[in-house]
Amino acid sequence: MIKLGKLTDYAIVVLTQLSQESDGARSAPQLAEKTGIPEPTVAKVLKTLAREKLVESLRGAAGGYRLAKRAQDMSLCEVIEAVEGPIAITSCVTEAPEPCGAEGRCPSRGKWDPVNRAIRLALQELKLSDMASRGCGAPAQRLIQVTMPRALEEGRAK
Amino acid sequence: MIKLGKLTDYAIVVLTQLSQESDGARSAPQLAEKTGIPEPTVAKVLKTLAREKLVESLRGAAGGYRLAKRAQDMSLCEVIEAVEGPIAITSCVTEAPEPCGAEGRCPSRGKWDPVNRAIRLALQELKLSDMASRGCGAPAQRLIQVTMPRALEEGRAK
DNA sequence: CCAAAGAGTACTAAAACCGTCCTGATTTAT
DNA sequence: ATAAATCAGGACGGTTTTAGTACTCTTTGG
């Protein structure tokens, strides 16, 4: 199972919520209340997203955050990379300067590239706005309760 | 960073090694020596692979393992699913009977499907034999030393 | 009948991740 | 000018996940 961390999930929820607000900034505490995610965690996620330029932050008394671009222009690829780092299916494949040990080039180097490319491509086509459109009436708030019932993953071991 | 576990890496290394042996079974200790992976771990991986029918096991004094199919017919998708469980990019998306909480359907349910499909497709096209073909002279043994210098992942946080 | 090998399970140790808190910087309002 | 609200950045502890190991049982060839 290839899995995303909880924080990434939170990021998507928060960004989705942000995209549904009428213009203007929303503070971390506000977003925490609307999404049901604990406030310190929301703050942490937003700080990361601000550092990666996915949201703009406004400091000061009436400060807050707002999306740095339109929801339909923000791909999940960006979001995931912002939170989790570069997307690649192995650790070794990233563009590190001199990643692999001393002598001898890694035989599997580059073999994963097609896979990584496919993942990124699919992720780039999925936009934040796609996550918002929902067929049922559940508010984003429910999303957080509903995501990641981690216990159920255990079923895979059979 | 979407990542594969170490065990999956080991599985690929061991299977690759197995594919390069002339016909006949190889025991876990033999494979451990050839790959440089600790013997108990090799044994563990092989047991998993045998359970998932990717290798055939021969018990008894002269027993061992051999590939259940040709290397060019074995996709990485199979290998990964054997070790890690079903491939999906979120935890929630698996085919669990009643995964999500009580009332209200999960808004993001199904949104990830195109991504998951793309990943699986790419993974199905990559065969075990592709991993074996190497442009340099490094034996598979080196692969294990070379994969996953986990420390380097830290660089991503910047 | 014994030795070698796989099967299955359970346990321990290490690593990653999540969540929280604390301190400092910035801006608005009074 | 001061106070309040808010973001920025880093540090820390606990929980969960994963990796690695050990033990016992079964199978099979000599």
Side-chain angles (χ1 to χ4, degrees):
Chain A
M1 164 79 72
I2 298 173
K3 65 174 184 296
L4 259 30
K6 267 188 187 175
L7 282 247
T8 307
D9 240 7
Y10 295 161
I12 294 172
V13 173
V14 169
L15 287 172
T16 302
Q17 178 65 37
L18 217 37
S19 77
Q20 289 170 351
E21 300 287 346
S22 53
D23 207 49
R26 291 292 181 279
S27 72
Q30 277 178 315
L31 290 168
E33 190 191 359
K34 292 207 179 190
T35 57
I37 305 171
E39 195 250 303
T41 302
V42 170
K44 182 179 196 169
V45 168
L46 282 168
K47 276 182 268 191
T48 303
L49 294 174
R51 217 179 301 129
E52 300 293 327
K53 301 289 197 316
L54 290 183
V55 297
E56 295 173 3
S57 67
L58 307 174
R59 300 174 68 146
Y65 298 89
R66 76 181 145 208
L67 289 188
K69 55 169 98 175
R70 294 180 309 168
Q72 58 265 37
D73 294 330
M74 190 178 293
S75 73
L76 289 196
C77 187
E78 300 174 80
V79 179
I80 292 173
E81 294 202 322
V83 180
E84 312 241 343
I87 290 177
I89 209 173
T90 47
S91 344
C92 172
V93 167
T94 55
E95 71 313 309
E98 191 48 80
C100 287
E103 17 63 283
R105 294 225 328 287
C106 176
S108 69
R109 177 69 80 96
K111 292 297 189 309
W112 292 100
D113 283 3
V115 179
N116 292 331
R117 252 197 302 277
I119 295 176
R120 298 194 59 164
L121 199 68
L123 247 20
Q124 278 164 354
E125 282 172 6
L126 240 201
K127 306 298 184 186
L128 187 60
S129 50
D130 295 326
M131 306 304 280
S133 69
R134 50 187 187 278
C136 59
Q141 174 170 7
R142 172 144 303 142
L143 224 180
I144 185 51
Q145 303 169 349
V146 128
T147 13
M148 316 230 121
R150 205 162 282 235
L152 285 165
E153 285 187 62
E154 314 314 57
R156 58 120 180 181
K158 191 183 58 157
Chain B
M1 163 80 71
I2 299 174
K3 67 174 183 294
L4 257 31
K6 265 189 187 175
L7 284 240
T8 307
D9 239 7
Y10 294 161
I12 294 172
V13 173
V14 169
L15 287 172
T16 302
Q17 178 65 36
L18 217 38
S19 78
Q20 290 169 350
E21 299 287 345
S22 53
D23 207 50
R26 291 293 180 278
S27 71
Q30 278 179 313
L31 291 168
E33 190 191 359
K34 292 206 178 190
T35 57
I37 305 170
E39 196 251 303
T41 302
V42 171
K44 183 180 195 170
V45 169
L46 282 167
K47 275 183 264 193
T48 303
L49 294 174
R51 216 180 301 128
E52 301 293 327
K53 301 288 196 318
L54 290 183
V55 298
E56 295 173 3
S57 68
L58 306 174
R59 300 175 66 147
Y65 297 89
R66 76 182 145 207
L67 289 188
K69 56 169 94 174
R70 294 180 309 166
Q72 57 264 40
D73 294 331
M74 188 177 295
S75 73
L76 290 196
C77 187
E78 300 174 80
V79 178
I80 292 173
E81 293 202 322
V83 180
E84 310 242 344
I87 290 175
I89 208 174
T90 48
S91 343
C92 173
V93 169
T94 54
E95 71 313 306
E98 191 48 78
C100 288
E103 17 63 283
R105 295 223 331 286
C106 176
S108 71
R109 177 70 80 96
K111 293 295 189 312
W112 292 100
D113 283 4
V115 179
N116 291 331
R117 252 197 303 277
I119 295 176
R120 299 194 58 164
L121 199 68
L123 248 19
Q124 278 164 354
E125 281 172 6
L126 240 203
K127 306 296 185 185
L128 187 59
S129 51
D130 295 324
M131 307 303 281
S133 70
R134 53 188 184 278
C136 59
Q141 172 170 9
R142 173 143 303 143
L143 222 180
I144 185 51
Q145 305 168 346
V146 128
T147 14
M148 316 228 121
R150 206 162 282 235
L152 286 166
E153 284 188 62
E154 315 316 58
R156 58 121 177 182
K158 193 181 53 160

